[in-house]
């Protein structure tokens, strides 16, 4: 009968870990979205320098969150985000700001998608 | 390739841990819920091995959640007969006094061929000799034959005798077994004396069992290329 408390403990542990994972994804999503929207605004204002700086900070932030996210988020989705960050950096560097705005919008969508994937909802459960 | 290799190793370890956590119930006769768990675990485990873009936790968490649920359900089943009958069902008598209950067979979707095959596996070839045949919750059929049809017991022959404890495993593959529940030093001393009489060392023995009375069974290790 000792196995039953261990089993209950395992269920509670995984519930806590999963909840923490959602909280972590949410905070990552919120921060990345803010960066993406700010950078998009700079792109619309043709401010390449500030857009580049914001994107660099966004990339550094995502790099710091990547190791933990990769434990539970799909790796191919994280790789897509990585690729988009590289692409948008290059687009801003060559001052192709309209395309950069589009890529930033993609990044914003992907980040929100990664968070929504982790959140239990009718859509996800069924 | 190395990623797949290590994932397979990790999942093997976690699945073994999970099966151990479920205990011997899982390894013996399977109840319906246990059968479902076994199939699910094997399918879930293959997902992170086949697709390296899926994180390992996507395989590990469901396996342990299923294991934990199984342990909790079997714990509740132990305490509650009603819950047990909901999860596992109840044994059903399908033959009584040589007469097959066809309605019960229909309810169980148990064909006559299945029934006869189960009876034959228990060396029963004539349905009329069966007193009770019960389909257990595992699907296995238990049989009691009529008096006069079943093998005679020593009690019926008024024979006297003693209950014997099964022999203990003393040596396995050239090494003494230390956790056989008996006084190890005394057993080892007796065993060594028995081996000395047969001019054998412990390392030369493949299997040695013994009873408290000092009756030993010794199987020597085979030479390479020979079975014994």
């Amino acid at each position: 009968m000792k196995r039953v408390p261990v089993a209950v403990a395992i269920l509670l542990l995984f519930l806590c870990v999963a909840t923490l994972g959602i909280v972590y994804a949410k905070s990552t999503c919120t921060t990345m979205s803010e960066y993406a929207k700010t950078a998009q605004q700079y792109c619309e204002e043709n401010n390449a320098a500030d857009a580049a700086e914001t994107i660099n900070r966004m990339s550094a932030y995502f790099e710091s969150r990547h190791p933990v996210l990769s434990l539970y988020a799909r790796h191919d989705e994280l790789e897509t985000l990585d690729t988009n960050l590289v692409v948008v950096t290059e687009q801003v560097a060559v001052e192709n700001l309209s395309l950069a705005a589009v890529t930033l919008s993609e990044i914003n969508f992907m980040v929100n998608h990664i968070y929504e994937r982790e959140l239990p909802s009718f859509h996800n459960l069924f | 390739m190395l990623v797949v290799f290590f994932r397979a190793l990790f999942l093997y370890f976690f699945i073994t841990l999970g099966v151990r956590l479920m205990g011997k119930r899982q390894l013996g006769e399977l109840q319906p819920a246990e059968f479902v768990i076994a199939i699910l675990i094997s399918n879930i485990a293959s997902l992170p091995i086949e697709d390296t873009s899926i994180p390992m936790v996507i395989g590990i968490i469901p396996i342990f959640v299923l294991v934990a649920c199984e342990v909790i359900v079997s714990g509740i089943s132990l305490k509650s007969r009603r819950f047990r009958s909901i999860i596992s069902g109840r044994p059903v008598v399908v033959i009584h006094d040589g007469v097959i209950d066809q309605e019960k067979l229909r309810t169980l979707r148990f064909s006559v061929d299945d029934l006869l095959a189960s009876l034959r596996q228990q060396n029963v070839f004539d349905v009329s000799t069966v007193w009770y045949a019960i389909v257990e919750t595992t699907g296995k059929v238990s049989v009691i034959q009529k008096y006069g049809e079943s093998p005679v017991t020593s009690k019926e022959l008024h024979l006297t005798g003693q209950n014997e404890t099964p022999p203990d495993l003393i040596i396995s593959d050239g090494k003494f077994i230390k956790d056989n529940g008996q006084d190890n030093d005394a057993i080892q001393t007796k065993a060594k004396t028995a081996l000395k009489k047969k001019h054998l060392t412990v390392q030369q023995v493949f299997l040695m069992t013994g009873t408290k009375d000092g009756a030993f069974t010794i199987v020597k290790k085979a030479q390479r290329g020979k079975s014994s």
Side-chain angles (χ1 to χ4, degrees):
Chain A
M1 281 305 286
K2 279 183 198 167
R3 287 195 165 104
V4 173
V6 168
V8 172
I10 286 172
L11 283 179
L12 290 173
L13 175 69
F14 282 137
L15 214 55
C16 288
V17 167
T19 308
L20 284 172
I22 291 172
V23 168
Y24 193 84
K26 171 74 179 163
S27 75
T28 307
C29 166
T30 307
T31 309
M32 291 284 288
S33 284
E34 277 171 23
Y35 277 129
K37 281 176 187 162
T38 308
Q40 231 174 335
Q41 208 171 347
Y42 286 137
C43 288
E44 281 159 14
E45 291 166 3
N46 278 323
N47 186 349
D50 286 342
E53 195 194 324
T54 309
I55 289 166
N56 282 338
R57 276 191 272 134
M58 182 169 61
S59 297
Y61 175 76
F62 184 68
E63 202 60 41
S64 70
R65 306 292 268 192
H66 194 288
V68 176
L69 281 175
S70 64
L71 290 175
Y72 58 95
R74 284 191 65 102
H75 298 170
D76 49 359
E77 288 176 356
L78 294 177
E79 278 159 19
T80 306
L81 256 180
D82 272 327
T83 308
N84 282 341
L85 283 168
V86 168
V87 164
V88 79
T89 307
E90 291 305 312
Q91 284 166 346
V92 168
V94 300
E95 295 199 9
N96 193 344
L97 298 179
S98 52
L99 215 53
V102 170
T103 310
L104 283 164
S105 166
E106 264 182 56
I107 289 170
N108 189 28
F109 172 79
M110 272 309 297
V111 153
N112 279 293
H113 172 72
I114 287 172
Y115 164 64
E116 281 159 12
R117 223 182 206 280
E118 294 303 316
L119 203 61
S121 65
F122 184 83
H123 176 73
N124 285 349
L125 290 173
F126 296 103
Chain B
M1 278 198 302
L2 266 183
V3 170
V4 173
F5 173 77
F6 282 118
R7 280 186 166 212
L9 276 180
F10 290 144
L11 278 162
Y12 173 76
F13 167 74
F14 283 115
I15 292 168
T16 307
L17 200 64
V19 171
R20 281 295 290 125
L21 182 63
M22 280 195 286
K24 288 188 171 60
R25 266 178 69 92
Q26 180 65 5
L27 300 175
E29 299 275 338
L30 294 178
Q31 296 290 342
E34 291 163 347
F35 180 65
V36 167
I37 297 289
I39 292 176
L40 274 174
I41 286 177
S42 62
N43 282 330
I44 288 168
S46 67
L47 291 173
I49 297 174
E50 285 171 5
D51 187 353
T52 53
S53 67
I54 298 175
M56 279 279 287
V57 292
I58 302 297
I60 293 168
I61 288 180
I63 287 172
F64 276 93
V65 167
L66 290 171
V67 164
C69 287
E70 172 52 34
V71 169
I72 290 168
V73 163
S74 51
I76 298 171
S77 296
L78 208 63
K79 298 287 183 188
S80 167
R81 192 183 161 83
R82 195 172 172 194
F83 185 80
R84 194 160 61 237
S85 70
I86 292 169
I87 295 294
S88 305
R90 284 197 166 117
V92 176
V93 176
V94 291
I95 301 177
H96 175 49
D97 196 12
V99 176
I100 298 175
D101 190 332
Q102 296 177 36
E103 189 56 43
K104 295 263 173 69
L105 276 187
R106 240 191 311 273
T107 312
L108 289 170
R109 294 193 310 283
F110 210 79
S111 70
V112 169
D113 293 330
D114 293 334
L115 180 62
L116 292 177
S118 299
L119 291 176
R120 283 195 297 270
Q121 280 169 359
Q122 310 218 29
N123 293 320
V124 174
F125 291 83
D126 186 355
V127 171
S128 63
T129 65
V130 175
W131 181 233
Y132 275 108
I134 301 165
V135 177
E136 307 292 354
T137 55
T138 56
K140 206 176 165 187
V141 175
S142 304
V143 174
I144 301 174
Q145 285 185 282
K146 290 179 182 174
Y147 185 80
E149 301 290 349
S150 49
V152 72
T153 63
S154 51
K155 191 176 177 181
E156 286 164 343
L157 292 173
H158 303 291
L159 294 172
T160 54
Q162 279 182 338
N163 289 323
E164 288 188 13
T165 50
D168 289 309
L169 180 63
I170 298 169
I171 295 175
S172 172
D173 201 19
K175 288 176 194 155
F176 274 112
I177 302 299
K178 289 199 166 89
D179 58 348
N180 58 11
Q182 290 204 343
D183 182 2
N184 290 310
D185 290 337
I187 288 280
Q188 283 189 21
T189 310
K190 284 184 189 172
K192 281 175 183 168
T193 310
L195 289 175
K196 227 178 191 175
K197 284 183 189 165
K198 291 190 180 263
H199 309 289
L200 288 171
T201 62
V202 174
Q203 289 73 26
Q204 289 174 312
V205 173
F206 179 68
L207 173 70
M208 182 177 189
T209 59
T211 62
K212 282 180 183 173
D213 309 325
F216 295 105
T217 302
I218 300 169
V219 177
K220 269 173 39 179
K221 275 190 184 174
Q223 290 172 357
R224 284 190 182 274
K226 294 182 185 174
S227 58
S228 60

